[in-house]
Every structure is written in C-alpha cells, then in structure tokens.
Amino acid sequence: MEGGHTKPDKTEFTECWRTTWKTPYIMRLALSAGIGGLLFGYDTGVISGALLYIREDFEEVDKKTWLQETIVSMAVAGAIFGAAVGGWMNDRFGRKISILLADALFFIGAIVMATSVAPWMLIIGRILVGLGVGMASMTAPLYISEASPARIRGALVSTNGFLITGGQFLSYLINLAFTRVPGTWRWMLGVAGLPALVQFILMLFLPESPRWLYRKNKIDEARSILAKIYPANEVEDEMNALQESVEAEKADESIVGESMIAKVKGAWSNPVVRRGLYAGITVQVAQQFVGINTVMYYSPTIVQFAGFASNKTALALSLITSGLNVVGSIVSMAFVDRYGRRRLMIVSMFGIISCLVVLSVLFWQASLHAPAVSKLGSNHFGGNTTCPAYFSAPDAASWNCMSCLHAKCAFCADGTNEYQPGACLISDKGIRGMCRGERRIWFENGCPSKFGIFAVLLLGLYIISYAPGMGTVPWIVNSEIYPLRYRGTGGGIAAVANWCSNLVVSETFLTLTEVLGSAGTFLLFAGFSFLGLVAIYFLVPETKGLHIEEIEKLLQEGYKPKAFKKRKSKVEGSS
C-alpha cells in the first residue's frame, strides 16, 4: 500500500496466491471492490447485444446512426463526469462512500433503461449508469491498491481488470440467453442492476481505505485494518510510511490549497506529478484509441459487417472474443508483476497494430468480392421495394452488395446460396419481413463474405493481444505512479482522459464505417495505435516492484528509455 519494507527481485502471481491464502481478508477486499470493474465490463458488453434488438423495437433508432451512437456513448459521457467528481469524492468522503454512491447510480440507471418507452429514456438511463461506472472505474483500483501489500499490488489491481473482462463475458452470455425471451433488451439491461446491488451490500461490511482513515486522524482504525492485511512485525513500518505520506500531503496542501481546482493546478505545477500524469494519461488515451471499445460496444455489429446476418449468430461469435478477453486478463494477473507493466504494454501494442492492419485488408477484400446485385431480383418484390439509388444509378450494372449498403439500402440474399447475386431493396421493417418470409437472408450492416470467419478470428487475436497488456496495465500504472498526496487527483484526471477518449471513439465509430468503410476505419485505428506505441515508449517508466517513494524519485529525475540513456553516455564518453 504505502510501500513495504522489501523490494522483491521478481514478484510472481504465485506470491499473490500464497499471500492471499494466508490472509484471505486481502482477497475479500480486492474482490468486493473489484465488482466495480464487473459493473464497468457488464455495461460495455451488454449494450452491444441489446442494441441489435433496440433497433428492431424503435424504428427511428434503426434509421439514425447518430441515435445508435448516442445511446451507446451517453454512458461514456456520464462516466467522464463521474470520474471527474469521483476524484474529488475519493479525497473528501473516502473510497467506500464513493463506491456505494456509484452502485446506487448504476442500479437506478439499470431500472430506467429496462422500463424505457422511448429512446430518450434509454439515454437518461445510460447517463445514470455512466455516472456510476465513471466513479467506480477510478475508485475500485485505488481502493485495492491502498489495501494491498506492495509485492502483490499489481496482481491484485489486475483482479479489477479481470472482473471488467468477466463482466463483458457475462453480459454476452446473458444477451444470448435472452434472445428468445419477450422483452429481450429490457432483460439484458435490467439485469445490470444486480452486480451493483451485490457490491453495495458487500461494501457496507468492509472498512474504509486505511490511508484515507489515517488522513482523517482515525489512526487506531487505520492500524486495525493494516493488522488484518500485514504480518504483525510489518504493521508499524506501514504506519510510519502513512505518517510520512500524510505529513507531506498536508504540507503540500498548505501551499496549494484543498479545493479540487487548486489540487488540479497543484498537480500540473508539480514536476513529479506532471511527469506521472504524462505517463498516466498517455496509457489511458492509448487504451481507447486502439479501438477496443468499438469491439466491446459494437462487437455483434462488427460481426455482421463481416457477413453474419443473424443477431443470434453475431452474439454467439461475439461471445468467443469476450471469452478471449477474460483469458487475456488472467494472463495479465499472472505476469504483470513478473515481466513488468511497460514491457507488457509494448508487446501488446505490437500485436494490436498487426491485427488491425490485417483486419483492414480482410474487410477491404470482402468489399471487393461482395455478391453482385441482380436487377431481376431487385424487382422481385415489386418496383416500390427496390432501392431508389439503384434505380437511378448510371453504373447500376456494376453494383454489388456493398454499393447497396453504402446507398442506405439493404441486400436480400438467396437463402440457398447467399453468395449468388441478390436484391437491393429499401431498408424497411416491412420489406425485411417480406425478404425473410421467402427464407432469404437480410443484410443491413455487412455483406455475405467468405472472409467473414477470418475476420472473426482476427478479432479474437486482437483481443488476445490487447487484454494482457493494454487491457489491464493502464489502470495498474495509474493506481501507483502518483505521489500519495496526489493519487486521488491524478487518478481522476487520467480517468477523465480515458472516458473522453472513449466518448470520441464510441460516438464516431459507426459514422466512420459509413464514411471510410470498415477497412479504412480499422486502418485508422492502426495508425492511432502506432502513435500510442511511440508515446508509451518515450513517456512511461517501469513501476514493477517499486515502492511509492522509489517511483517518486524516478519521476523526480525524469524518465528516458534505456536505449537513449546508453546512447547519451557513449557520446559523452567519446567526447
């Protein structure tokens, strides 16, 4: 938490297992707080499947891309405000109260969404859920970090990342379970309130962060909690570390001030904190601009882009990618304290970039080889059902399924061989029923493609590359890179950066696919990922196994990659 007294050469996942086996109270704290991660994961996963059925119930949502993006991204907008307020609440009222409030907001939001009678109610519910998710996203890792011995801190904070991916996987399972139940998306969104209720009850019986208690002069309470976490011979050392930290914090506040604005200004004016923020914000922004939440929020839609028309098939295939995300998080828990935060992120980024480039090529090839549009087939249901743009196009003879979809129309494929020429029809609920009534296949988001299964496999590889590194490590870095007196403020600033980036990506993804196509969109994310890789290499130091004081000293000196340090020393030596 505040440092420990020994610095292990290699901290392994087995050390975490041994420690928590001897002191199960530590794991109880980590898992209870980590349900905040489960809420985060469930929310990002559940909307992707629910959106397929919301579009069918509300025709205006089906017709308006911006409305789909708004329903998805309003939770992110709420999370931005929730993360910003969460940083202040953490310092003012404590970690426990912040988590309890986040649970209450999430529960109310889930009920509002489940009972929505119009898109505006869905949007309000999404904002409430987002407020809760934003507060939980930065409070849960902070609480776990402050209740963890330094030697296993990374592995325990990774439980939050594991529960995020576990929540996503759970949401896909629930989405799949409710595909044939009346009310489909209402059940999918309503069930989200259960984890929030469970965490609320569990947190009522858990203590406040020992560091926050000490800061509020509740010294005996802080000592009693540390006694449950550390061996008896280490408790006084931790108390001494707390005392030094709090005294430094109070001295800093006497200069800077206690208000949120004063603390933010103080953080940016302090060179150590500022360097920590460069690293913390970099990894949080990079985590979003690799495009992960396009996969999490729109995974079934992307699977439909790849040529799988059925909602149920799209959800089932999305379950595979979500399951791989869980596996990747377990890998992170096992290796983050052994191989380090920085190395895992850099390796992760190389894998992400490779997968995005290949995905872009696959979608480009799929668009080139899309089935042709048949003039006879397009008139099969009557002239008033044919896509108007196809009627008036001078190059109609060269149209294929992708041309039809770009014209805001839909492709009705042959039921026996979907790769044969099909009909380009007006995208309408009634016409869709006519197409399916003849046992044909209706395509609105993607075209039949023999490359589709390879695109799904690439999505799986992308998730495997993302989850162990960029999926969990940015939250670990932000839970430990700031001096203790600025940890709440620094974590809040970085979390806001994460959610702002998330909002940009989720609010623009469907529009980008319309303007650039799926291939161009994934190539754009590959470019952003490359910039993120460069920024991580130059700005983010390794914090594995370091105590808080050592991290502060590292940032005091300023960070440079080893390769550049060696080059500099050689130049000085030759001169």
Side-chain angles (χ1 to χ4, degrees):
M1 185 189 71
E2 304 296 331
H5 33 265
T6 57
K7 176 184 172 183
D9 295 322
K10 272 191 179 181
T11 304
E12 303 186 27
F13 184 61
T14 51
E15 174 64 19
C16 178
W17 175 256
R18 282 196 298 267
T19 302
T20 53
W21 181 260
K22 291 178 182 177
T23 316
Y25 185 74
I26 297 172
M27 185 56 74
R28 181 185 161 196
L29 291 174
L31 289 178
S32 298
I35 295 176
L38 189 76
L39 298 178
F40 181 179
Y42 190 92
D43 176 67
T44 57
V46 74
I47 194 62
S48 63
L51 188 63
L52 300 178
Y53 296 93
I54 291 170
R55 290 200 316 236
E56 291 186 357
D57 278 8
F58 298 115
E59 193 165 348
E60 59 183 309
V61 176
D62 191 38
K63 296 294 183 186
K64 298 174 181 176
T65 298
W66 68 266
L67 195 51
Q68 295 175 39
E69 291 173 327
T70 300
I71 289 171
V72 169
S73 60
M74 277 304 97
V76 182
I80 293 171
F81 186 75
V85 173
W88 169 76
M89 282 198 65
N90 270 289
D91 290 337
R92 183 70 181 270
F93 301 107
R95 288 44 164 155
K96 180 177 176 177
I97 293 295
S98 298
I99 292 174
L100 289 172
L101 180 58
D103 291 332
L105 288 168
F106 198 98
F107 183 80
I108 294 169
I111 299 302
V112 171
M113 289 189 296
T115 56
S116 295
V117 295
W120 65 266
M121 277 189 72
L122 275 168
I123 291 170
I124 289 174
R126 294 286 293 163
I127 291 172
L128 288 171
V129 163
L131 287 169
V133 167
M135 293 175 66
S137 71
M138 58 100 33
T139 307
L142 186 61
Y143 182 91
I144 296 168
S145 177
E146 292 182 347
S148 304
R151 61 186 178 276
I152 60 169
R153 185 177 59 221
L156 283 178
V157 176
S158 288
T159 61
N160 186 62
F162 169 69
L163 287 168
I164 290 174
T165 57
Q168 289 165 345
F169 184 73
L170 177 65
S171 71
Y172 283 118
L173 279 176
I174 288 174
N175 281 349
L176 201 57
F178 286 119
T179 52
R180 297 190 181 277
V181 174
T184 52
W185 60 269
R186 297 184 186 279
W187 286 103
M188 295 173 183
L189 298 175
V191 168
L194 290 178
L197 184 61
V198 169
Q199 185 179 42
F200 187 91
I201 294 169
L202 288 174
M203 288 303 299
L204 288 175
F205 299 98
L206 288 178
E208 182 51 79
S209 156
R211 181 196 172 277
W212 188 85
L213 288 170
Y214 197 101
R215 176 69 176 81
K216 297 298 180 181
N217 293 319
K218 298 181 180 181
I219 297 171
D220 291 338
E221 288 183 46
R223 180 181 278 108
S224 67
I225 295 166
L226 290 176
K228 296 179 181 179
I229 297 171
Y230 288 91
N233 63 326
E234 295 183 18
V235 172
E236 285 308 314
D237 288 341
E238 292 302 316
M239 290 296 292
N240 292 334
L242 273 174
Q243 183 180 0
E244 291 175 12
S245 169
V246 169
E247 287 175 355
E249 182 177 350
K250 288 180 177 178
D252 195 74
E253 282 179 355
S254 65
I255 300 171
V256 175
E258 293 189 42
S259 71
M260 183 169 66
I261 294 174
K263 284 188 175 183
V264 170
K265 287 182 179 178
W268 283 108
S269 62
N270 185 312
V272 173
V273 184
R274 186 169 62 247
R275 288 176 185 136
L277 283 168
Y278 289 156
I281 292 173
T282 290
V283 295
Q284 293 287 27
V285 171
Q287 184 190 60
Q288 295 304 319
F289 273 91
V290 300
I292 183 58
N293 278 319
T294 63
V295 177
M296 291 297 105
Y297 292 142
Y298 300 106
S299 183
T301 303
I302 294 172
V303 171
Q304 289 185 336
F305 287 163
F308 298 93
S310 163
N311 286 351
K312 191 170 183 179
T313 302
L315 284 170
L317 290 173
S318 298
L319 189 63
I320 296 172
T321 60
S322 181
L324 291 172
N325 204 11
V326 178
V327 172
S329 297
I330 295 172
V331 171
S332 176
M333 291 173 66
F335 294 108
V336 69
D337 281 325
R338 182 171 185 174
Y339 295 111
R341 288 75 159 130
R342 177 181 161 85
R343 184 184 298 179
L344 276 182
M345 285 191 291
I346 289 174
V347 171
S348 178
M349 288 296 269
F350 273 112
I352 287 167
I353 293 167
S354 302
C355 290
L356 286 172
V357 170
V358 178
L359 261 175
S360 177
V361 172
L362 277 175
F363 277 109
W364 176 60
Q365 286 295 314
S367 67
L368 291 179
H369 296 88
V373 171
S374 164
K375 185 175 182 180
L376 182 64
S378 298
N379 291 320
H380 175 74
F381 297 100
N384 62 340
T385 65
T386 306
C387 177
Y390 174 68
F391 257 143
S392 58
D395 60 341
S398 65
W399 271 42
N400 64 15
C401 170
M402 200 59 69
S403 313
C404 180
L405 267 54
H406 285 163
K408 307 283 188 185
C409 293
F411 187 77
C412 182
D414 188 302
T416 56
N417 186 351
E418 60 190 42
Y419 304 112
Q420 293 294 321
C424 185
L425 306 175
I426 294 171
S427 180
D428 177 84
K429 194 172 183 178
I431 299 172
R432 179 177 64 202
M434 293 167 63
C435 172
R436 290 176 175 172
E438 293 193 2
R439 299 198 175 185
R440 300 190 183 199
I441 306 171
W442 182 261
F443 288 88
E444 275 184 301
N445 296 308
C447 293
S449 173
K450 294 178 181 178
F451 297 98
I453 190 62
F454 297 106
V456 173
L457 290 173
L458 255 297
L459 279 176
L461 285 175
Y462 168 86
I463 292 293
I464 290 173
S465 300
Y466 170 86
M470 293 308 297
T472 56
V473 175
W475 298 105
I476 298 172
V477 169
N478 274 283
S479 72
E480 62 190 9
I481 200 165
Y482 309 110
L484 288 169
R485 58 192 176 277
Y486 282 108
R487 190 174 286 177
T489 304
I493 293 170
V496 169
N498 179 283
W499 287 110
C500 286
S501 306
N502 190 331
L503 178 63
V504 171
V505 171
S506 59
E507 183 67 37
T508 59
F509 175 67
L510 293 178
T511 301
L512 283 172
T513 58
E514 289 182 355
V515 175
L516 302 176
S518 302
T521 301
F522 283 111
L523 192 61
L524 179 66
F525 284 127
F528 287 142
S529 300
F530 176 75
L531 294 177
L533 172 62
V534 173
I536 288 170
Y537 180 77
F538 283 102
L539 295 175
V540 183
E542 180 56 71
T543 57
K544 178 192 76 169
L546 298 180
H547 302 314
I548 302 302
E549 299 82 3
E550 293 172 307
I551 294 172
E552 194 165 343
K553 185 179 178 181
L554 177 66
L555 294 174
Q556 187 89 48
E557 296 170 354
Y559 175 72
K560 282 187 180 179
K562 286 183 180 179
F564 285 80
K565 286 181 180 178
K566 290 178 181 177
R567 185 177 298 175
K568 183 179 178 181
S569 63
K570 285 180 182 178
V571 171
E572 289 174 351
S574 61
S575 62

